[in-house]
Amino acid sequence: MNEQSLEMIELELAILIRRSTSISSHKRLGTLDRSAYLLLRRIANRGAAGVKVLSGEFQLDISTISRQAAALEQKGYLYRIPDPLDGRAYSIQITELGTEVYKEHKQARLERLEEVIHDWSNEEREIFGQLLKKFNQSFI
């Protein structure tokens, strides 16, 4: 890849990150930050999981996931399920309130994204989504 292509990608990624942050801080989305949204989304879609598993999936320290989960537990969005074999270990599950908040935020994010790409064709949306997925998987 030539230098010009790398510079274009680097600049466009910086702009994307800045602008996509505005999607999550959009007035309709309330106070659920990106990390909380991703954690709720993961548990809502794939079920309860331990902190170690989530840490591996998100490529974050266990302490970071524990801190994020504790904050969401305080808000009533998550709860802990004790491991019957190891009294120190637990899985994290989403509550009904957490599910409601997650769904509201997801819908608002999708609506905002639709506003941004409303004039894109279905083919452009599909290609962009596939390229973003490929890009994100390159980090694994």
Side-chain angles (χ1 to χ4, degrees):
M1 184 179 300
N2 67 38
E3 182 84 14
Q4 187 177 5
S5 295
L6 283 175
E7 286 188 20
M8 179 180 66
I9 291 169
E10 183 275 330
L11 172 61
E12 295 303 325
L13 277 173
I15 293 168
L16 174 67
I17 291 166
R18 184 186 68 216
R19 290 183 179 162
S20 65
T21 301
S22 74
I23 288 175
S24 62
S25 64
H26 197 263
K27 63 184 175 189
R28 292 182 294 181
L29 296 180
T31 60
L32 194 61
D33 68 23
R34 177 185 41 85
S35 60
Y37 173 78
L38 289 172
L39 190 54
L40 289 178
R41 181 181 174 106
R42 179 347 192 138
I43 296 170
N45 290 322
R46 295 182 51 207
V51 174
K52 187 174 181 179
V53 168
L54 294 168
S55 170
E57 289 178 12
F58 286 109
Q59 298 180 345
L60 295 170
D61 291 335
I62 290 174
S63 63
T64 301
I65 294 292
S66 293
R67 202 170 38 255
Q68 291 172 354
L72 292 172
E73 188 176 14
Q74 279 188 325
K75 292 179 179 183
Y77 300 162
L78 297 176
Y79 66 94
R80 296 176 190 208
I81 304 169
D83 184 330
L85 302 176
D86 181 353
R88 298 167 297 166
Y90 59 90
S91 292
I92 302 167
Q93 181 60 280
I94 194 166
T95 64
E96 285 185 38
L97 177 60
T99 300
E100 287 175 30
V101 168
Y102 157 67
K103 286 180 177 180
E104 288 171 5
H105 278 72
K106 180 180 178 184
Q107 186 59 41
R109 291 168 69 96
L110 291 173
E111 288 171 8
R112 178 65 181 123
L113 190 54
E114 175 61 30
E115 290 172 7
V116 172
I117 63 171
H118 73 277
D119 60 344
W120 291 27
S121 71
N122 287 337
E123 181 181 16
E124 288 170 323
R125 292 174 185 211
E126 182 66 28
I127 291 168
F128 186 65
Q130 290 300 323
L131 288 173
L132 278 175
K133 182 177 181 178
K134 181 178 181 178
F135 181 79
N136 282 329
Q137 289 175 340
S138 297
F139 285 97
I140 298 173

